[in-house]
Structure formats: structure tokens, C-alpha cells
Amino acid sequence: NADVAMYRVKEHGRNNYRFYTPEMTHMAIDRLDMEGNLRRALERDELLVYYQPLVDFTTGRIVGAEALVRWQHPRIGMIQPSEFIPLAEDTGLIIPLGQLVLRQTCADIKAWQALGLPPVKISLNLSARQFRQDDLSATIREVLDEMAVDGHLLAFELTESMVMHDVENTLDTLRELKTLGATISLDDFGTGYSSLSYLKRFPIDTLKIDRSFVRDIHHDNDDSAIAHAVIAMAHKLGIKVIAEGVECAAQLDLLREFGCDELQGYFFSRPVPVEEFTLMLKQGRSLADLADT
Ligand code: C2E
Ligand code: MG
Ligand code: MG
Ligand code: MG
């Protein structure tokens, strides 16, 4: 579809003609169009929260999930976050989008509680612009209070690039988030700069090893050495480790051997709609079920 294609061209830069269409000269207009579309999407319930399970290595059980937004466009169909999160970030629409994801997540948590399901911890992604919001923790607290959800059930995911500037402000914001009862995860770990000093300086609870290190872990000695060392170091600092992008049993076996705490990845489940995630919780789906099939 044209308006999405236009935006892709812009995102991928001048030299990428993969999504070229003859109407490319209208790119600026279409970007505006896309912005208008996203604005309307926020009002029309076109944004959905999918959940991808986080699984405990020791018990094999689901202990949490990452909330990942999807855009169900009435004409184009499902649009992935990489196609609209950058635009949302540029335009400031990420603020109402983040509010929407938080509200939806809280509503889903309430629904799971009403069903008597065991509590799971939900991870929410924060982008740079959200993180720099002055009243970030206050607005989150408002939603938690209004919806009567315990902040201990939430984790906030940040990337290294977001915490590296302005150490004092970062520290303040992280402390405020923690007073909500939430935990802090460092997302995409290993892809940024000066990773180690931040683990020491900031109150990080969890580290998510980026999937680029997990991908070849069973073939590449360097990647496996890095993953092993990162897990050992994090544990010495009292930090929990989640492996992202686990896609096969060989990766899983190695990560378990290295003492990794939780896994996330297509091997267990892709991100799924709330109904499907609720079903997994009801069934108590676990790693053992995968071995059976
Ligand atoms: P992320 O936070 O690093 O999320 C993990 C991404 O890895 C997700 O992509 C997930 O679907 C994908 N993934 C998980 N397991 C596997 C696997 O085994 N193999 C492969 N190839 N991929 C896997 P997704 O859902 O497309 O999200 C992309 C990014 O968009 C996220 O990266 C996050 O940075 C951002 N994002 C998503 N939802 C939100 C949101 O609600 N708010 C904000 N601010 N950002 C969001
Ligand atoms: Mg994330
Ligand atoms: Mg990640
Ligand atoms: Mg990642």
C-alpha cells in the first residue's frame, strides 16, 4: 500500500529503493498522511497490544510477557512497530501511544486477576521521548491508581542509548519508576556503548541480552563466550538475565547451561493477541509442553 511504502522509503534513507513507487515525490505529503492515520488509529482502537511470553528456565513456566504494540489498519492490515514507532517518536504521538499501551496492559492484568490466574509480570517498552517526559512516573502512577493495578506487576524496558546521556536525570527518573514498585530492564543489551559502567551506576534489575548475540550462540564461540560472561557478570551484580530471540533448542540448552534466568523468543512463542496469551496462562503452558509435541 502506497502510504506505508512511502514512509518506508523515508525510514530506510535515500539510497534504498526497495519500496520505491512512482508517487515518491509526494513523500512528504504521505508522511503527513501517515501521521494523520496514526492519530486516528489512536482514537479508533486500531492499536492492539500483543504479548510475548517470558519463560523461567528452571521451572519452564510463563512468568511474564513483553507488551508489544501492533497497528491493525483497516485497509493495510497489520503494521509492525518498526513501521510506526519511529514516526510516533518524531511526532510526539508516542506519548498518547504509550498511555494507550499502559492502559490496555492494566486492563488485561485486571482481567487475568479476575480469572484467578497466577500473577505475571508485564514488560513495557519506553522510548527516549517517553523517558524524557517530565511527568513520566506521575502519569504512570495516575493510571495504576485509577485502574487499581500493583506497580510490582510491571517492568519498564529502556535501552542503553537512553541512559547514557544526562546521568543525573536518568538516575532521578529510574528512582521514580522504582518507587511505583516496577523493575527496570536494560533492553537490547550489548548493542550500545559502555554497557558495563551503566549496570553499576543505575538501579537496573534485569538485563535482556540482544538477540544478535543469541542468534549464533550455538555456532559461534565468541558469541557464546560473550553471553556466558554477561550472564556471570550480571549475576555477580545481582541482576537477572533474559535472553531475547531464542529460536531453537540448541540455543536454549546453552543458555540454560550458562545459568540464564528467563527466555523470550519464537522457540516458545511469537507475540500473540491477548486472547491467546490468556489461554496459555489458563493452560499453564510450559517448556515441557514443547518437548511433548
Ligand atoms: P524490542 O523491545 O527489542 O522487542 C523485541 C522484538 O523482538 C519484538 O519485535 C519481537 O517480536 C521480536 N522477537 C521476539 N522473539 C524473537 C525471535 O525469536 N526471533 C526474532 N527474529 N524476533 C523476535 P516487534 O514486536 O516488531 O517490536 C520491535 C520494537 O518496537 C521493540 O523492540 C520495541 O523497541 C518497539 N516497540 C514495540 N512495542 C512498543 C511500545 O508499546 N512502545 C514503545 N515505545 N516501543 C515499542
Ligand atoms: Mg523490549
Ligand atoms: Mg528487546
Ligand atoms: Mg532486541
Side-chain angles (χ1 to χ4, degrees):
N1 182 290
D3 47 0
V4 164
M6 293 307 164
Y7 185 61
R8 281 178 175 145
V9 168
K10 200 168 157 82
E11 275 306 296
H12 288 133
R14 221 170 303 169
N15 298 323
N16 191 318
Y17 295 102
R18 196 147 59 103
F19 297 99
Y20 179 83
T21 75
E23 301 100 303
M24 239 183 101
T25 44
H26 300 304
M27 212 159 70
I29 295 168
D30 278 310
R31 188 190 153 104
L32 274 178
D33 211 50
M34 188 74 178
E35 185 182 338
N37 265 304
L38 185 54
R39 221 173 267 285
R40 276 191 301 279
L42 281 159
E43 290 157 11
R44 291 183 187 170
D45 291 338
E46 291 172 20
L47 295 174
L48 304 173
V49 179
Y50 273 39
Y51 295 97
Q52 186 177 32
L54 299 173
V55 178
D56 185 293
F57 265 107
T58 314
T59 64
R61 318 281 296 199
I62 297 172
V63 289
E66 179 170 6
L68 294 159
V69 69
R70 300 286 182 265
W71 181 0
Q72 179 64 60
H73 192 287
R75 281 179 297 117
I76 301 167
M78 199 64 97
I79 308 177
Q80 299 302 311
S82 58
E83 307 288 350
F84 61 92
I85 292 285
L87 174 74
E89 178 82 3
D90 286 354
T91 54
L93 287 173
I94 193 72
I95 303 295
L97 185 152
Q99 284 278 108
L100 186 144
V101 170
L102 174 65
R103 280 182 178 279
Q104 188 57 54
T105 296
C106 286
D108 292 337
I109 288 173
K110 295 302 281 184
W112 298 324
Q113 285 172 347
L115 288 168
L117 296 168
V120 287
K121 191 180 195 95
I122 304 299
S123 273
L124 297 165
N125 290 285
L126 289 179
S127 68
R129 186 137 171 181
Q130 291 171 282
F131 190 67
R132 286 198 312 267
Q133 237 186 305
D134 281 335
D135 52 353
L136 175 68
S137 62
T139 52
I140 294 172
R141 189 186 296 277
E142 249 171 60
V143 175
L144 294 180
D145 287 350
E146 180 194 322
M147 306 198 67
V149 166
D150 185 347
H152 290 97
L153 295 171
L154 298 181
F156 291 101
E157 299 193 2
L158 319 161
T159 59
E160 292 161 89
S161 60
M162 288 160 59
V163 300
M164 62 188 284
H165 308 290
D166 203 351
V167 172
E168 278 317 307
N169 273 322
T170 295
L171 258 180
D172 287 346
T173 308
L174 292 180
R175 287 191 185 119
E176 281 168 23
L177 288 173
K178 297 202 68 156
T179 63
L180 301 172
T183 56
I184 307 293
S185 301
L186 207 48
D187 205 356
D188 305 335
F189 185 80
T191 59
Y193 306 98
S194 330
S195 323
L196 301 182
S197 66
Y198 297 116
L199 292 181
K200 193 173 160 226
R201 200 172 317 170
F202 298 122
I204 308 284
D205 303 285
T206 308
L207 178 160
K208 300 187 76 174
I209 303 183
D210 190 68
R211 77 166 180 271
S212 57
F213 293 102
V214 173
R215 192 178 46 223
D216 299 319
I217 196 173
H218 50 316
H219 300 302
D220 186 317
N221 286 333
D222 293 340
D223 283 348
S224 94
I226 290 170
H228 197 172
V230 163
I231 293 166
M233 174 203 63
H235 283 168
K236 284 200 175 120
L237 295 169
I239 294 170
K240 199 173 81 178
V241 183
I242 300 176
E244 296 190 298
V246 178
E247 294 186 353
C248 70
Q251 295 166 339
L252 181 138
D253 289 342
L254 263 180
L255 289 159
R256 177 184 278 132
E257 187 187 316
F258 295 163
C260 192
D261 301 283
E262 293 172 21
L263 71 105
Q264 175 178 4
Y266 294 173
F267 181 72
F268 187 82
S269 171
R270 289 179 175 260
V272 294
V274 62
E275 298 78 16
E276 206 171 316
F277 183 64
T278 305
L279 192 64
M280 287 186 196
L281 292 178
K282 279 185 187 162
Q283 294 171 338
R285 197 168 306 175
S286 75
L287 277 176
D289 299 324
L290 291 180
D292 293 344
T293 51

